[in-house]
Amino acid sequence: MPIKIPMPKPIAEIDGDEMTRVIWGWVKDELLRPFIELNTEYYDLGLENREATKDGVTHEAAEAAKRLGIAVKCATITPNAARVEEYHLTQMWKSPNATIRGALDGTIFRTPIITKLITPAIPAWTKPITVARHAYGDIYTAIEGISPDGRLDVEYHNTIASIKSFAEACFRYAESEKLPLKFSAKDTILKKYDGKFREVFADTHKDFPNVDYAYTLIDDAVARVIRSHGGFIWAMKNYDGDVMSDMVSTVFGSLAMMTSVLVSPDGKFEFEAAHGTVTRHYYRYREGETPSTNPVATIFAWSGALKKRGELDGVERLTEFAWRLENAVIDTIESGVVTSDLAGLANREVKRVNTQEFIAAVRGRL
Ligand code: NAP
Ligand code: MG
């Protein structure tokens, strides 16, 4: 047996629910543990354990992400009325993502994983576009009113502190990824509200002089983005980011090929897949079927966290391994071996495999 790659410092490992929890185990057993001395602090955020700990485990996980600086998270169930019944919950526990985001005061960056097998709906987009959405304020906390005389009024809300955190996380991430950063809003109309965003971004740029940054009016930005080749971070206010992130992910093809990283203003990173726990596949798995769920975003959450750990600690072999893992995944897909969701999007004939067969093919290339 070759000697495994060392991992001197741990990351926070946050386990989750349903199909993604099953895939989590397969990825660790087949693609990580055989190659590296996996070093993690483990937090079980499976819904049973959140119930057993009265959600204490979620707060412990958030604290560990802050303390260790790097976390990797599996998708988790956000309880609703049906889940309260299904899992016999004593409370409708809060969304773990909301708890962790609150603790880290973080911004979410979503990036598509691109392969030659899937042509984006806008073929010029050959490089990823990462969308950064300010997940606070705007219309989501607006006060609305309709007057008897037929007037409709809306009052927006935000805070300068939250805008600052957002801007800092954007520059921090742009610096870490060595990517240009664009921020767009409509400060010609909302001179004070959007003007304040523009001003805060310009001020924050002074602390990150190496980042290639530009402000663009949102409508002009849309035109430029459509005609671009990708390869930048596009930061937007809450509503603009909500709409545009759905547009961008649809153009690139599949939610199963989208990674997500939460970055705090002081440079802590939490990596995850953008999709949920894939409940329908899990119910079939429980019936004994072998589903063809796409594990790519989960694998990239791990590789993202390992890359960052290697970079911060100067463990080159760890970073190198993470790159090799990502390349093995891309090569497997480009060789035409894919899960069912991608078979429908492929621009040529492919071989459909189930999740375990796909993971085995990736391991073969490693
Ligand atoms: P979802 O788990 O993302 O799944 C929605 C559908 O998208 C699936 O049924 C499947 O379509 C397709 N899909 C998603 N990921 C896929 C993958 N990796 N491979 C293949 N197909 C994939 O969203 P949901 O059904 O709305 O939510 C399920 C649970 O996840 C909920 O309890 C929700 O609270 C939770 N959730 C968690 C997070 C998070 O922790 N970050 C995010 C979103 C949702 P087909 O069934 O048609 O194949
Ligand atoms: Mg949306």
Side-chain angles (χ1 to χ4, degrees), residues 212-253:
D212 172 4
Y213 168 71
Y215 171 81
T216 320
L217 211 57
I218 184 93
D219 28 3
D220 187 25
V222 168
R224 284 165 188 265
V225 166
I226 296 291
R227 277 195 244 101
S228 77
H229 296 289
F232 53 85
I233 299 167
W234 190 15
M236 280 165 280
K237 297 191 307 166
N238 206 352
Y239 174 74
D240 299 335
D242 184 354
V243 177
M244 288 303 162
S245 63
D246 283 350
M247 193 268 284
V248 169
S249 62
T250 306
V251 170
F252 280 113

Short mmCIF file of all heavy atoms in Angstrom, two decimals, residues 212-253:
data_model
loop_
_atom_site.label_atom_id
_atom_site.label_comp_id
_atom_site.label_asym_id
_atom_site.label_seq_id
_atom_site.Cartn_x
_atom_site.Cartn_y
_atom_site.Cartn_z
N ASP A 212 -9.49 42.47 -9.25
CA ASP A 212 -9.97 43.17 -10.43
C ASP A 212 -11.48 43.40 -10.24
O ASP A 212 -12.27 42.48 -10.40
CB ASP A 212 -9.67 42.29 -11.65
CG ASP A 212 -10.27 42.81 -12.94
OD1 ASP A 212 -10.88 43.89 -12.93
OD2 ASP A 212 -10.15 42.11 -13.96
N TYR A 213 -11.85 44.63 -9.87
CA TYR A 213 -13.24 44.91 -9.50
C TYR A 213 -13.86 45.97 -10.39
O TYR A 213 -13.19 46.94 -10.76
CB TYR A 213 -13.32 45.38 -8.04
CG TYR A 213 -14.68 45.95 -7.70
CD1 TYR A 213 -15.79 45.11 -7.60
CD2 TYR A 213 -14.86 47.33 -7.53
CE1 TYR A 213 -17.05 45.64 -7.35
CE2 TYR A 213 -16.12 47.86 -7.26
CZ TYR A 213 -17.21 47.00 -7.17
OH TYR A 213 -18.45 47.53 -6.93
N ALA A 214 -15.12 45.81 -10.75
CA ALA A 214 -15.85 46.85 -11.49
C ALA A 214 -17.31 46.88 -11.08
O ALA A 214 -17.92 45.82 -10.84
CB ALA A 214 -15.75 46.59 -12.99
N TYR A 215 -17.84 48.09 -10.97
CA TYR A 215 -19.29 48.26 -10.77
C TYR A 215 -19.94 48.45 -12.13
O TYR A 215 -19.41 49.16 -12.98
CB TYR A 215 -19.57 49.49 -9.89
CG TYR A 215 -21.05 49.83 -9.85
CD1 TYR A 215 -21.90 49.14 -8.99
CD2 TYR A 215 -21.59 50.79 -10.70
CE1 TYR A 215 -23.25 49.40 -8.97
CE2 TYR A 215 -22.96 51.06 -10.69
CZ TYR A 215 -23.79 50.36 -9.81
OH TYR A 215 -25.13 50.62 -9.82
N THR A 216 -21.08 47.79 -12.36
CA THR A 216 -21.83 47.98 -13.61
C THR A 216 -23.31 48.11 -13.27
O THR A 216 -23.82 47.37 -12.42
CB THR A 216 -21.68 46.76 -14.55
OG1 THR A 216 -20.33 46.31 -14.49
CG2 THR A 216 -22.03 47.11 -15.98
N LEU A 217 -23.99 48.99 -13.93
CA LEU A 217 -25.44 49.13 -13.79
C LEU A 217 -26.09 47.79 -14.16
O LEU A 217 -25.70 47.17 -15.14
CB LEU A 217 -25.90 50.24 -14.73
CG LEU A 217 -27.11 51.07 -14.32
CD1 LEU A 217 -26.90 51.73 -12.96
CD2 LEU A 217 -27.36 52.13 -15.38
N ILE A 218 -27.10 47.36 -13.38
CA ILE A 218 -27.60 45.99 -13.53
C ILE A 218 -28.08 45.66 -14.95
O ILE A 218 -27.81 44.57 -15.45
CB ILE A 218 -28.70 45.67 -12.47
CG1 ILE A 218 -29.18 44.22 -12.54
CG2 ILE A 218 -29.90 46.60 -12.59
CD1 ILE A 218 -28.49 43.27 -11.66
N ASP A 219 -28.75 46.57 -15.62
CA ASP A 219 -29.24 46.22 -16.97
C ASP A 219 -28.09 46.11 -17.98
O ASP A 219 -28.07 45.23 -18.83
CB ASP A 219 -30.34 47.16 -17.47
CG ASP A 219 -30.27 48.55 -16.89
OD1 ASP A 219 -29.32 48.83 -16.12
OD2 ASP A 219 -31.14 49.37 -17.20
N ASP A 220 -27.12 46.99 -17.82
CA ASP A 220 -25.92 46.90 -18.66
C ASP A 220 -25.17 45.59 -18.35
O ASP A 220 -24.68 44.91 -19.26
CB ASP A 220 -25.03 48.12 -18.35
CG ASP A 220 -23.84 48.21 -19.28
OD1 ASP A 220 -23.92 47.66 -20.40
OD2 ASP A 220 -22.82 48.80 -18.88
N ALA A 221 -25.14 45.23 -17.06
CA ALA A 221 -24.44 44.00 -16.65
C ALA A 221 -25.08 42.78 -17.29
O ALA A 221 -24.38 41.88 -17.78
CB ALA A 221 -24.46 43.86 -15.13
N VAL A 222 -26.40 42.71 -17.33
CA VAL A 222 -27.09 41.56 -17.92
C VAL A 222 -26.66 41.40 -19.38
O VAL A 222 -26.30 40.30 -19.81
CB VAL A 222 -28.63 41.73 -17.81
CG1 VAL A 222 -29.36 40.70 -18.67
CG2 VAL A 222 -29.06 41.58 -16.36
N ALA A 223 -26.64 42.50 -20.12
CA ALA A 223 -26.22 42.44 -21.53
C ALA A 223 -24.79 41.95 -21.65
O ALA A 223 -24.47 41.08 -22.48
CB ALA A 223 -26.37 43.82 -22.17
N ARG A 224 -23.91 42.47 -20.79
CA ARG A 224 -22.50 42.06 -20.88
C ARG A 224 -22.30 40.61 -20.47
O ARG A 224 -21.48 39.90 -21.06
CB ARG A 224 -21.64 42.93 -19.94
CG ARG A 224 -21.39 44.31 -20.46
CD ARG A 224 -20.87 45.18 -19.31
NE ARG A 224 -20.78 46.56 -19.70
CZ ARG A 224 -19.66 47.13 -20.15
NH1 ARG A 224 -18.55 46.42 -20.26
NH2 ARG A 224 -19.66 48.39 -20.48
N VAL A 225 -23.03 40.16 -19.44
CA VAL A 225 -22.88 38.78 -18.97
C VAL A 225 -23.31 37.80 -20.07
O VAL A 225 -22.62 36.82 -20.34
CB VAL A 225 -23.70 38.56 -17.67
CG1 VAL A 225 -23.86 37.08 -17.36
CG2 VAL A 225 -23.04 39.28 -16.50
N ILE A 226 -24.43 38.08 -20.72
CA ILE A 226 -24.93 37.18 -21.77
C ILE A 226 -23.88 37.04 -22.89
O ILE A 226 -23.68 35.97 -23.44
CB ILE A 226 -26.26 37.71 -22.37
CG1 ILE A 226 -27.36 37.73 -21.30
CG2 ILE A 226 -26.70 36.90 -23.60
CD1 ILE A 226 -27.85 36.39 -20.82
N ARG A 227 -23.19 38.13 -23.20
CA ARG A 227 -22.21 38.09 -24.29
C ARG A 227 -20.81 37.64 -23.84
O ARG A 227 -19.91 37.55 -24.64
CB ARG A 227 -22.11 39.48 -24.94
CG ARG A 227 -23.20 39.70 -25.97
CD ARG A 227 -22.90 40.90 -26.86
NE ARG A 227 -23.89 41.94 -26.68
CZ ARG A 227 -23.72 43.04 -25.95
NH1 ARG A 227 -22.58 43.26 -25.33
NH2 ARG A 227 -24.68 43.93 -25.84
N SER A 228 -20.66 37.36 -22.54
CA SER A 228 -19.32 37.04 -22.02
C SER A 228 -18.98 35.56 -22.23
O SER A 228 -19.80 34.78 -22.71
CB SER A 228 -19.26 37.33 -20.52
OG SER A 228 -19.92 36.29 -19.80
N HIS A 229 -17.74 35.19 -21.84
CA HIS A 229 -17.34 33.78 -21.84
C HIS A 229 -17.34 33.22 -20.43
O HIS A 229 -16.86 32.13 -20.18
CB HIS A 229 -15.95 33.62 -22.46
CG HIS A 229 -15.92 34.01 -23.90
ND1 HIS A 229 -16.51 33.26 -24.89
CD2 HIS A 229 -15.40 35.09 -24.53
CE1 HIS A 229 -16.36 33.85 -26.06
NE2 HIS A 229 -15.70 34.97 -25.87
N GLY A 230 -17.84 33.98 -19.45
CA GLY A 230 -17.83 33.54 -18.06
C GLY A 230 -16.48 33.82 -17.41
O GLY A 230 -15.68 34.62 -17.94
N GLY A 231 -16.22 33.17 -16.29
CA GLY A 231 -14.93 33.33 -15.63
C GLY A 231 -14.86 34.52 -14.70
O GLY A 231 -13.81 35.17 -14.59
N PHE A 232 -15.96 34.83 -14.00
CA PHE A 232 -15.95 35.93 -13.03
C PHE A 232 -16.98 35.68 -11.94
O PHE A 232 -17.80 34.75 -12.03
CB PHE A 232 -16.23 37.27 -13.72
CG PHE A 232 -17.49 37.26 -14.56
CD1 PHE A 232 -18.72 37.51 -13.99
CD2 PHE A 232 -17.42 36.96 -15.91
CE1 PHE A 232 -19.88 37.49 -14.76
CE2 PHE A 232 -18.58 36.93 -16.69
CZ PHE A 232 -19.81 37.19 -16.11
N ILE A 233 -16.90 36.52 -10.90
CA ILE A 233 -17.89 36.47 -9.82
C ILE A 233 -18.84 37.64 -10.01
O ILE A 233 -18.40 38.77 -10.21
CB ILE A 233 -17.20 36.58 -8.43
CG1 ILE A 233 -16.24 35.39 -8.24
CG2 ILE A 233 -18.23 36.63 -7.31
CD1 ILE A 233 -15.30 35.57 -7.07
N TRP A 234 -20.11 37.36 -9.97
CA TRP A 234 -21.14 38.39 -10.18
C TRP A 234 -21.93 38.57 -8.89
O TRP A 234 -22.69 37.69 -8.49
CB TRP A 234 -22.05 37.96 -11.33
CG TRP A 234 -23.00 39.01 -11.81
CD1 TRP A 234 -22.95 40.34 -11.56
CD2 TRP A 234 -24.15 38.80 -12.65
NE1 TRP A 234 -24.00 40.98 -12.20
CE2 TRP A 234 -24.74 40.05 -12.88
CE3 TRP A 234 -24.72 37.67 -13.25
CZ2 TRP A 234 -25.89 40.21 -13.66
CZ3 TRP A 234 -25.85 37.83 -14.03
CH2 TRP A 234 -26.43 39.08 -14.23
N ALA A 235 -21.68 39.67 -8.21
CA ALA A 235 -22.33 39.94 -6.93
C ALA A 235 -23.54 40.83 -7.13
O ALA A 235 -23.49 41.79 -7.92
CB ALA A 235 -21.34 40.61 -5.98
N MET A 236 -24.61 40.50 -6.42
CA MET A 236 -25.85 41.27 -6.56
C MET A 236 -26.59 41.38 -5.24
O MET A 236 -26.36 40.59 -4.32
CB MET A 236 -26.76 40.57 -7.57
CG MET A 236 -26.42 40.85 -9.02
SD MET A 236 -27.23 39.70 -10.13
CE MET A 236 -26.18 38.27 -9.99
N LYS A 237 -27.52 42.34 -5.20
CA LYS A 237 -28.39 42.46 -4.04
C LYS A 237 -29.31 41.23 -3.98
O LYS A 237 -29.36 40.44 -4.90
CB LYS A 237 -29.24 43.73 -4.17
CG LYS A 237 -28.41 45.01 -4.17
CD LYS A 237 -29.31 46.23 -4.03
CE LYS A 237 -30.41 46.21 -5.07
NZ LYS A 237 -31.48 47.16 -4.80
N ASN A 238 -30.05 41.15 -2.89
CA ASN A 238 -30.82 39.94 -2.59
C ASN A 238 -31.79 39.52 -3.71
O ASN A 238 -31.76 38.38 -4.18
CB ASN A 238 -31.60 40.18 -1.28
CG ASN A 238 -31.89 38.88 -0.55
OD1 ASN A 238 -31.66 37.80 -1.06
ND2 ASN A 238 -32.40 39.00 0.66
N TYR A 239 -32.61 40.43 -4.18
CA TYR A 239 -33.62 40.08 -5.19
C TYR A 239 -32.95 39.80 -6.54
O TYR A 239 -33.26 38.79 -7.20
CB TYR A 239 -34.67 41.19 -5.31
CG TYR A 239 -35.64 40.94 -6.43
CD1 TYR A 239 -36.63 39.96 -6.30
CD2 TYR A 239 -35.57 41.66 -7.63
CE1 TYR A 239 -37.52 39.72 -7.33
CE2 TYR A 239 -36.45 41.41 -8.66
CZ TYR A 239 -37.43 40.44 -8.51
OH TYR A 239 -38.30 40.19 -9.55
N ASP A 240 -32.06 40.67 -6.95
CA ASP A 240 -31.36 40.46 -8.23
C ASP A 240 -30.64 39.11 -8.22
O ASP A 240 -30.66 38.36 -9.20
CB ASP A 240 -30.34 41.58 -8.48
CG ASP A 240 -30.99 42.96 -8.56
OD1 ASP A 240 -32.18 43.03 -8.90
OD2 ASP A 240 -30.30 43.96 -8.27
N GLY A 241 -30.00 38.79 -7.10
CA GLY A 241 -29.24 37.54 -6.98
C GLY A 241 -30.16 36.33 -7.00
O GLY A 241 -29.82 35.30 -7.58
N ASP A 242 -31.32 36.45 -6.39
CA ASP A 242 -32.30 35.36 -6.38
C ASP A 242 -32.69 35.02 -7.82
O ASP A 242 -32.63 33.85 -8.25
CB ASP A 242 -33.53 35.83 -5.57
CG ASP A 242 -34.59 34.76 -5.41
OD1 ASP A 242 -34.45 33.68 -6.01
OD2 ASP A 242 -35.57 35.00 -4.69
N VAL A 243 -33.04 36.03 -8.59
CA VAL A 243 -33.51 35.82 -9.96
C VAL A 243 -32.35 35.35 -10.86
O VAL A 243 -32.46 34.36 -11.58
CB VAL A 243 -34.12 37.13 -10.53
CG1 VAL A 243 -34.53 36.95 -11.98
CG2 VAL A 243 -35.31 37.56 -9.68
N MET A 244 -31.23 36.05 -10.80
CA MET A 244 -30.13 35.77 -11.72
C MET A 244 -29.44 34.44 -11.41
O MET A 244 -28.92 33.79 -12.32
CB MET A 244 -29.11 36.92 -11.69
CG MET A 244 -29.63 38.17 -12.36
SD MET A 244 -30.10 37.83 -14.07
CE MET A 244 -31.13 39.23 -14.40
N SER A 245 -29.43 34.00 -10.14
CA SER A 245 -28.78 32.72 -9.85
C SER A 245 -29.58 31.58 -10.49
O SER A 245 -29.01 30.61 -10.97
CB SER A 245 -28.59 32.51 -8.35
OG SER A 245 -29.82 32.44 -7.71
N ASP A 246 -30.92 31.70 -10.52
CA ASP A 246 -31.72 30.68 -11.18
C ASP A 246 -31.47 30.70 -12.69
O ASP A 246 -31.40 29.65 -13.33
CB ASP A 246 -33.21 30.88 -10.89
CG ASP A 246 -33.59 30.42 -9.49
OD1 ASP A 246 -32.73 29.77 -8.84
OD2 ASP A 246 -34.70 30.71 -9.04
N MET A 247 -31.33 31.89 -13.26
CA MET A 247 -31.06 32.00 -14.69
C MET A 247 -29.71 31.35 -15.02
O MET A 247 -29.62 30.50 -15.91
CB MET A 247 -31.06 33.48 -15.09
CG MET A 247 -31.11 33.75 -16.58
SD MET A 247 -29.48 33.91 -17.32
CE MET A 247 -29.01 35.55 -16.81
N VAL A 248 -28.69 31.72 -14.25
CA VAL A 248 -27.34 31.20 -14.52
C VAL A 248 -27.29 29.68 -14.38
O VAL A 248 -26.74 28.98 -15.23
CB VAL A 248 -26.30 31.89 -13.61
CG1 VAL A 248 -24.95 31.19 -13.68
CG2 VAL A 248 -26.15 33.36 -13.99
N SER A 249 -27.92 29.12 -13.31
CA SER A 249 -27.82 27.67 -13.11
C SER A 249 -28.60 26.94 -14.19
O SER A 249 -28.21 25.85 -14.62
CB SER A 249 -28.25 27.26 -11.71
OG SER A 249 -29.59 27.57 -11.49
N THR A 250 -29.70 27.50 -14.66
CA THR A 250 -30.47 26.86 -15.75
C THR A 250 -29.66 26.83 -17.04
O THR A 250 -29.66 25.82 -17.76
CB THR A 250 -31.79 27.61 -15.99
OG1 THR A 250 -32.48 27.70 -14.74
CG2 THR A 250 -32.67 26.87 -16.97
N VAL A 251 -28.96 27.91 -17.33
CA VAL A 251 -28.16 27.95 -18.55
C VAL A 251 -27.09 26.85 -18.52
O VAL A 251 -26.83 26.19 -19.52
CB VAL A 251 -27.50 29.34 -18.74
CG1 VAL A 251 -26.47 29.30 -19.87
CG2 VAL A 251 -28.55 30.40 -19.03
N PHE A 252 -26.50 26.64 -17.35
CA PHE A 252 -25.41 25.65 -17.27
C PHE A 252 -25.93 24.22 -17.20
O PHE A 252 -25.17 23.29 -17.38
CB PHE A 252 -24.49 25.95 -16.09
CG PHE A 252 -23.50 27.05 -16.40
CD1 PHE A 252 -23.56 28.27 -15.75
CD2 PHE A 252 -22.51 26.85 -17.35
CE1 PHE A 252 -22.64 29.27 -16.04
CE2 PHE A 252 -21.59 27.85 -17.64
CZ PHE A 252 -21.66 29.07 -16.99
N GLY A 253 -27.22 24.00 -16.88
CA GLY A 253 -27.77 22.66 -17.05
C GLY A 253 -28.41 22.01 -15.84
O GLY A 253 -29.58 21.69 -15.88
#
